[in-house]
Amino acid sequence: MNAIDPRMIHRKLVFRIFLMGLALSIIVGAGVWQMEKNKIGQDILWDAKNGFKDFNRQIRTLLNTPGILNPDRIHQHLVLEMAGQRENQSGQFVSMGIYTLGGELLTLVTDDTYENRDLVREKAGQLDDKIQTYKTMKFGVIHIDDTPHMQIISPLSNDLGELAAYGETFFAVFPETLNHIRRKAIKLSGAAVLIVMLTTGLLYPMVVTLLNRVSSLSAKLFESNLEMLKVLGSAVAKRDSDTDLHNYRVTIISVKLAENLNLPKPKIQRLIKGAFLHDVGKIGIEDDILHKPGRLSEEEFTVMKNHVPYGMDIVGKAEWIKEATDIVGYHHEKYDGSGYDHGLKGDEIPEIARIFAIADVFDALTSRRPYKEPFSFKKTMEIIIAGRGSHFDPVHVDAFEKIALTLFETYSKKEDDALKTELADLLKEYFYC
Ligand SMILES: [Fe+2]
């Protein structure tokens, strides 16, 4: 887990809330638009349906003898009906046709005042015996010159309630009705979008307040984790050599080498944790072996090797430092397989452990210890290069050779505080998003 950068989270939050508000607005706006269109569509249907029923009532008496319908009388009636039709709210009938029970077109009247009458005539009166398939009133919408026309087809009954003929009408929707639909739908959709945006805007400060609290807690948790890393590293350093400097330097040197090898950030994060805690298992090694000034006997060295499994055991107990395992468990492996604790060779050894091994040996050789003076840079590099392919990964040694002198000049004599500051900068760079 890295520390959360509140500014970055804030930017992400603003962007996501904006996207969410926009998506919601589009969904709600489109939904309202569709609902309003459907509602007004139902109003138009209601107008057309009632108009047709009214029309059926008006000609019912003329249909009392279904076998011998009088086309002229019905035609005259339809002409009168067309001329005096009740003005509907949403449109008007522009065509009325009557079919016999046999499906023959008896008469067709279109509104001569209607501008699209010719186009309507092309569509009307074309049903013939197909009309007989209409057992109840049916509706369809046909667009003529971009204007929706409701086609209504229905059986017609006479005064006796008998099926006496079939009727087909075209009901043209007024342009004003269409404009009204559009205006109303736009207004309602706009209102819906505004409400969603306002709600999102009102929620934003609340989310930011909560986020700030979470960021603050997260930062504290992260600081605690870093403190744990430092405390553990420092505890073992105090037991081993009375100083934290070795931990600081090997961490910085390892990171510099890893950067030179272009390792990705997550690997360098693991490298930092591992470098800090590489010898944490020495806490479990008894003083007379850990602090023995001279060379360890074979038995003593066997005991000393236990710091690796001890360390694995320690770092395995906490989630945040588990990532140190690669270095804690494998920093004494050698490239040719002669190291401990697992005898791994080559690429079997975790990459960051191979990198760390060079930094660890380099710093040990160039540092003053109770039992030795610091080696010169030249002698140290001779030893490192001699270990190329046996102790160390040859590719890593080649990369190290290019930066070793700069590292030596920069860090071998650097004071405690300066190293601390540089390490703090590294932690900031790699653990704060
Ligand atoms: Fe070690």
Side-chain angles (χ1 to χ4, degrees), residues 98 101 118 129 189 233 245 312 327 332 353:
I98 302 294
L101 287 176
D118 293 337
D129 53 357
S189 305
L245 290 180
M312 292 279 268
I327 288 181
H332 286 295

Side-chain angles (χ1 to χ4, degrees), residues 191-258:
V193 168
L194 201 64
I195 289 168
V196 171
M197 292 307 254
L198 275 175
T199 311
T200 309
L202 286 173
L203 280 176
Y204 176 72
M206 220 156 44
V207 175
V208 167
T209 307
L210 288 174
L211 181 73
N212 285 342
R213 279 190 207 161
V214 172
S215 299
S216 165
L217 288 173
S218 162
K220 280 180 189 163
L221 182 61
F222 179 71
E223 290 296 335
S224 303
N225 282 333
L226 276 185
E227 289 303 319
M228 175 174 69
L229 191 68
K230 287 177 190 167
V231 167
L232 267 176
S234 176
V236 70
K238 290 283 187 294
R239 273 214 70 204
D240 196 11
S241 61
D242 289 327
T243 173
D244 294 337
L245 290 180
H246 173 63
N247 269 355
Y248 295 169
R249 277 194 306 263
V250 288
T251 303
I252 294 168
I253 292 169
S254 308
V255 170
K256 298 294 174 192
L257 179 53

Side-chain angles (χ1 to χ4, degrees), residues 22 113 123 147 149 168 191 197 202 249 278 285 341 367 379-380 386:
L22 191 67
T113 63
K123 305 275 180 190
T147 303
H149 289 64
E168 180 200 24
M197 292 307 254
L202 286 173
R249 277 194 306 263
H278 66 281
I285 304 298
D341 201 40
S367 301
K379 190 174 177 188
T380 301

Side-chain angles (χ1 to χ4, degrees), residues 278-279 282 307 331-332:
H278 66 281
D279 272 342
K282 282 186 178 174
H307 81 276
H331 67 283
H332 286 295

Side-chain angles (χ1 to χ4, degrees), residues 131-139 152-155 166-167:
I131 194 92
Q132 293 168 310
T133 59
Y134 292 90
K135 304 296 181 199
T136 56
M137 192 184 280
K138 291 281 188 307
F139 306 90
I152 306 165
I153 303 164
S154 174
Y166 293 96

